[in-house]
C-alpha cells in the first residue's frame, strides 16, 4: 500500500484514514522543511517524487492498483459517462475510472437550439463531479496521451494507470488532412476562424459569437461525407440559423454545400422546410465535393462550383477520435479493413483482436454490410455504453454475454416561430445469416408536437447519464 491508494483500493476505512493522515503529515513536513522530506518510499512512484502529491507527471503512477479489477474509460462524453454509471450498477465489485479532458460536460445534442437562443447553456452542461461521487467512480480530469496496449496501461498528463478492461469513447476527430495534407497552418486557421462546432465545446462558443455578430452576407456550410457525426444535424442547424435571420431581419443567405447527392435522413422533411420556410435564405447544393478551401481568402472550390463566403461553418470529414488511432484500433491503410474508424466485433463491440478493449459511440466502425455504420448519435453512444457495461459485468460473473443491440431516435427542430420539428427512428435486429439489419423510419411531417417530445428525450437521457 502506498500513499497513492484511495478509498476504493483500501480494504477498510480505518486503513484509508491512517493513510490519509500519513499523507497529510508528509505534505506538511514537505511544506515546512522543503520537498525532499515528502518523498515517502513507494514502489509505485518511480522515480522519486519532488512535487506535491497531486501534481502528477506522465511518468508517475496516477492510481496504484488495489485489490479490485479495474475498468478505465477514456473519454467522458455521451458514451463514456454513461458507461461509468452503468458499470458501477451492473458490476459494483469493479473499480471504475473515467478520464476526460473537459471540466464540464457540454452536450452537442440540443446545441443547435442553444446557438439560436432556444435553450440556455445550463440545459447543455452537466456536472461530472456530482455524478461520479453519487455512483462512486473516479472522475479524473486530464488529457489522455497514449495507450500502451501491450502493458494494459493508459498514460495521461497526470500519470499512468493500469487497466483490466479498457473502454474507448473518444468521439470524433476532423480529418483536415483530407483537405490540407500536412499543411498545419491551413488546418489551424480553418479551425480557428471557421470551426465546425461538431466537437464539444470551445468551438460552439466561437460559432455562437460569430452568429450573433453576423450582420448579413453569405454563410457557407460544408457538409462532410458519410459516415459523419449526427447526419441530420447540419440541416437542422441551417434551418435554425435561417429562422433566426428571419426573426432578426438579418439579410443573410445560407449556402449548404453537401458532399452527398441529396438530403438524408428525413430528406423530404428538411427539403420542405428549406422551400416553404426559407426559400430566400437557404440554397441547397448537392454533390458539392470539396476540391480546395482557402480560409484566408474565404474561397471554396467544389465539384458543383466555386463559392466565396462572408462567414462559414467548415466541416472537414469525420473520423474516429485521436485516441482510437493511438490505441491501435483503427486499421492501418492496406490492411484490407475499412479505415478511419475502430475495427470492432459488430455484436460485442470489442476490438477484433483484443476482447479486453471495447469501443463505444461515434468511434465505432463498420458493423454491417447492409448499412455499414451505426448512426453516429448520442442516443447510440448511450446505448453502446449500457450494452458494454452489461457485457463486462457478465464476463466478471463468469458468464458468456449474449449480444444486445442499440436503437436510435433523433429529433430535429426546423422552425423556431412557431417551434416545429421532424424526427427519425432506427431499430436493429440480427438476421438468419448473423448480420445486423437496420430499419429506418423518417417522420417528415413538420409538427409542433415533435418539439416537446424532443425536449422530453433530452431530459430523460441527460437524467440517465447524470442523476
Ligand atoms: C450539432 C450536433 C447535434 C447533435 N444532435 C444529436 C441529437 O439530436 N441526438 C443524438 O443522439 N445525437 C446528436 N448528436 C451527436 C452526438 O453529439 C454524438 O453522437 C455523441 O456525442 C457521441 O458520443 P461519444 O461518447 O462517442 O463522443 P463524445 O460525446 O464526443 O465524447 C468524447 C469525449 O472524449 C473526450 N476525449 C477525447 N480525447 C481525449 C483525450 N485525449 N483526453 C481526454 N479526453 C478526451 C472528449 O473531450 C469528449 O468529452 C449531435 C451532434 C452535434 C455536433
Amino acid at each position: 500500500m502506498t500513499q497513492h491508494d484511495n478509498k476504493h483500493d483500501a480494504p477498510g476505512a480505518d486503513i484509508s484514514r491512517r493513510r490519509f493522515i500519513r499523507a497529510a503529515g508528509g505534505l506538511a513536513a514537505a511544506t515546512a522543511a522543503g520537498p525532499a522530506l515528502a518523498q515517502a518510499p513507494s514502489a509505485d512512484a518511480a522515480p522519486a517524487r519532488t512535487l506535491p502529491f497531486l501534481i502528477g507527471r506522465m511518468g508517475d503512477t496516477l492510481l496504484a492498483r488495489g485489490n479490485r479489477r479495474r475498468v478505465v474509460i477514456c473519454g467522458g462524453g455521451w458514451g463514456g459517462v454513461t458507461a461509468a454509471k452503468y458499470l458501477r450498477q451492473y458490476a459494483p465489485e469493479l473499480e471504475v475510472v473515467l478520464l476526460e479532458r473537459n471540466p464540464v460536460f457540454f452536450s452537442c445534442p440540443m446545441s443547435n437550439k442553444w446557438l439560436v437562443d432556444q435553450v440556455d447553456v445550463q440545459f447543455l452542461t452537466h456536472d461530472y463531479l456530482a455524478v461520479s461521487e453519487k455512483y462512486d467512480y473516479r472522475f479524473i480530469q486530464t488529457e489522455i496521451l497514449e495507450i500502451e496496449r501491450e502493458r494494459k496501461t493508459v498514460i495521461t498528463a497526470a500519470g499512468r494507470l493500469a487497466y483490466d478492461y479498457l473502454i474507448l469513447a473518444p468521439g470524433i476527430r476532423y480529418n483536415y488532412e483530407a483537405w490540407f495534407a500536412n499543411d498545419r497552418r491551413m488546418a489551424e486557421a480553418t479551425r480557428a476562424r471557421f470551426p465546425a462546432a461538431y466537437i464539444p465545446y470551445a468551438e460552439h462558443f466561437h460559432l455562437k459569437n460569430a452568429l450573433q455578430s453576423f450582420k448579413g452576407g453569405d454563410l457557407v456550410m460544408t457538409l462532410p461525407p458519410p459516415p459523419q457525426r449526427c447526419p441530420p444535424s447540419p440541416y437542422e442547424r441551417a434551418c435554425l440559423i435561417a429562422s433566426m435571420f428571419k426573426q432578426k431581419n438579418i439579410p443573410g443567405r445560407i449556402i449548404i454545400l453537401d458532399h452527398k447527392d441529396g438530403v438524408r435522413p428525413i430528406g423530404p422533411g428538411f427539403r420542405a422546410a428549406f422551400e416553404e420556410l426559407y426559400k430566400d435564405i437557404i440554397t441547397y447544393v448537392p454533390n458539392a465535393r470539396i476540391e480546395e478551401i482557402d480560409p484566408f481568402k474565404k474561397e471554396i472550390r467544389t465539384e458543383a462550383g466555386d463559392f466565396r463566403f462572408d462567414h462559414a461553418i467548415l466541416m472537414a470529414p469525420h473520423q474516429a477520435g485521436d485516441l482510437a488511432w493511438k490505441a491501435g484500433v483503427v486499421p492501418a491503410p492496406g490492411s484490407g479493413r475499412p479505415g478511419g474508424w475502430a475495427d470492432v466485433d459488430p455484436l460485442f463491440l470489442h476490438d477484433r483482436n483484443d476482447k479486453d478493449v471495447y469501443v463505444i459511440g461515434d468511434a465505432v466502425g463498420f458493423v454491417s454490410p447492409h448499412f455499414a455504420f451505426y448512426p453516429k448519435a448520442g442516443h447510440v453512444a448511450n446505448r453502446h455504453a449500457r450494452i458494454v457495461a452489461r457485457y463486462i459485468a457478465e464476463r466478471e460473473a463468469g458468464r458468456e454475454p449474449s449480444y444486445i443491440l442499440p436503437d436510435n431516435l433523433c429529433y430535429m427542430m426546423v422552425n423556431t416561430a412557431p417551434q416545429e420539428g421532424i424526427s427519425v427512428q432506427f431499430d436493429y435486429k440480427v438476421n438468419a445469416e448473423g448480420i445486423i439489419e437496420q430499419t429506418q423510419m423518417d417522420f417528415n411531417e413538420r409538427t409542433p408536437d415533435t418539439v416537446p417530445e424532443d425536449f422530453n428525450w433530452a431530459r430523460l437521457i441527460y437524467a440517465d447519464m447524470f442523476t
Side-chain angles (χ1 to χ4, degrees):
M1 290 290 185
T2 75
Q3 58 174 315
H4 290 262
D5 292 348
N6 55 64
K7 64 179 173 178
H8 302 297
D9 305 323
D14 290 353
I15 298 175
S16 177
R17 184 167 155 69
R18 274 204 303 279
R19 256 190 281 116
F20 168 72
I21 292 165
R22 205 176 53 192
L27 187 59
T31 313
L37 287 180
Q39 294 168 13
S42 161
D44 296 307
R49 299 181 59 89
T50 54
L51 296 171
F53 173 66
L54 290 173
I55 302 178
R57 282 194 169 131
M58 58 182 273
D60 296 342
T61 299
L62 179 58
L63 290 178
R65 294 304 295 251
N67 51 13
R68 298 193 296 167
R69 283 163 60 75
R70 180 186 284 164
V71 187
V72 175
I73 304 168
C74 293
W78 278 69
V81 81
T82 311
K85 169 181 161 181
Y86 277 90
L87 272 165
R88 292 292 300 136
Q89 293 191 330
Y90 294 159
E93 70 281 9
L94 289 172
E95 182 192 7
V96 176
V97 185
L98 176 62
L99 304 172
E100 165 60 43
R101 62 159 71 98
N102 291 331
V104 166
F105 177 94
F106 182 96
S107 173
C108 283
M110 310 304 275
S111 66
N112 286 335
K113 299 170 186 78
W114 169 76
L115 288 175
V116 298
D117 294 328
Q118 299 298 299
V119 298
D120 58 22
V121 76
Q122 278 74 27
F123 194 70
L124 302 183
T125 47
H126 299 272
D127 178 3
Y128 284 120
L129 304 178
V131 66
S132 61
E133 279 297 297
K134 178 168 177 185
Y135 290 99
D136 198 17
Y137 62 82
R138 303 290 295 261
F139 170 74
I140 299 179
Q141 190 202 338
T142 185
E143 182 74 21
I144 305 157
L145 302 174
E146 298 291 341
I147 293 171
E148 292 181 350
R149 292 268 296 277
E150 62 292 353
R151 294 200 179 98
K152 293 187 108 172
T153 298
V154 177
I155 300 171
T156 79
R160 45 202 302 141
L161 70 169
Y163 65 83
D164 295 294
Y165 297 102
L166 184 69
I167 298 181
L168 295 168
I172 60 161
R173 74 185 292 272
Y174 302 126
N175 179 13
Y176 284 122
E177 294 91 338
W179 284 355
F180 304 122
N182 57 1
D183 190 335
R184 181 177 281 271
R185 182 167 160 269
M186 290 293 265
E188 285 174 355
T190 300
R191 188 164 192 182
R193 292 166 185 225
F194 308 112
Y198 264 69
I199 293 178
Y201 63 115
E203 294 176 29
H204 289 80
F205 287 89
H206 183 107
L207 177 57
K208 183 157 182 162
N209 288 340
L211 290 175
Q212 293 200 332
S213 53
F214 190 74
K215 298 284 181 284
D218 283 353
L219 172 66
V220 167
M221 294 173 65
T222 65
L223 270 53
Q228 75 199 85
R229 170 166 278 186
C230 197
S233 59
Y235 309 118
E236 178 192 56
R237 189 180 279 178
C239 288
L240 293 181
I241 296 171
S243 192
M244 182 181 83
F245 286 175
K246 251 168 93 170
Q247 302 311 310
K248 295 189 175 173
N249 290 319
I250 296 169
R253 214 160 61 109
I254 300 168
I255 300 151
I256 304 173
L257 301 180
D258 200 342
H259 181 100
K260 300 198 293 287
D261 59 5
V263 179
R264 287 191 292 280
I266 349 176
F270 281 118
R271 294 303 299 249
F274 297 168
E275 280 147 32
E276 293 162 18
L277 302 175
Y278 312 116
K279 200 167 182 42
D280 300 329
I281 303 179
I282 294 181
T283 303
Y284 176 75
V285 185
N287 298 312
R289 286 175 279 277
I290 304 296
E291 290 176 338
E292 202 176 331
I293 289 200
D294 190 327
F296 299 101
K297 293 187 185 148
K298 300 187 181 176
E299 288 172 358
I300 304 179
R301 213 154 49 75
T302 80
E303 285 182 16
D306 300 346
F307 300 84
R308 284 187 55 80
F309 57 83
D310 297 293
H311 191 71
I313 301 173
L314 299 179
M315 302 183 201
H318 296 171
Q319 295 182 323
D322 295 3
L323 276 178
W325 299 73
K326 289 186 171 186
V329 295
V330 177
S335 67
R337 304 290 309 161
W341 303 92
D343 192 17
V344 295
D345 179 284
L347 295 179
F348 291 99
L349 298 175
H350 56 67
D351 176 72
R352 279 185 181 270
N353 306 311
D354 186 345
K355 282 188 161 185
D356 295 339
V357 174
Y358 289 91
V359 184
I360 59 176
D362 286 4
V364 167
F366 185 89
V367 289
S368 167
H370 285 215
F371 59 94
F373 296 84
Y374 283 125
K376 302 200 174 293
H379 190 102
V380 173
N382 170 277
R383 296 305 192 255
H384 279 167
R386 290 158 61 157
I387 291 166
V388 161
R390 179 65 77 192
Y391 291 161
I392 291 175
E394 288 293 296
R395 287 177 59 187
E396 282 299 289
R399 292 186 291 266
E400 198 57 38
S402 305
Y403 71 77
I404 313 169
L405 298 179
D407 65 312
N408 189 30
L409 188 55
C410 190
Y411 297 94
M412 293 283 121
M413 192 187 273
V414 293
N415 192 11
T416 64
Q419 288 187 332
E420 293 175 312
I422 55 181
S423 64
V424 57
Q425 189 181 324
F426 298 84
D427 290 306
Y428 298 93
K429 68 170 195 221
V430 175
N431 70 16
E433 287 86 51
I435 291 169
I436 307 173
E437 285 182 357
Q438 173 178 276
T439 311
Q440 176 177 339
M441 274 172 291
D442 288 3
F443 298 93
N444 288 295
E445 192 189 340
R446 197 168 66 239
T447 72
D449 297 347
T450 311
V451 176
E453 285 177 33
D454 185 3
F455 279 87
N456 196 40
W457 169 83
R459 283 195 191 92
L460 285 174
I461 206 155
Y462 291 148
D464 188 55
M465 293 187 281
F466 289 99
T467 56

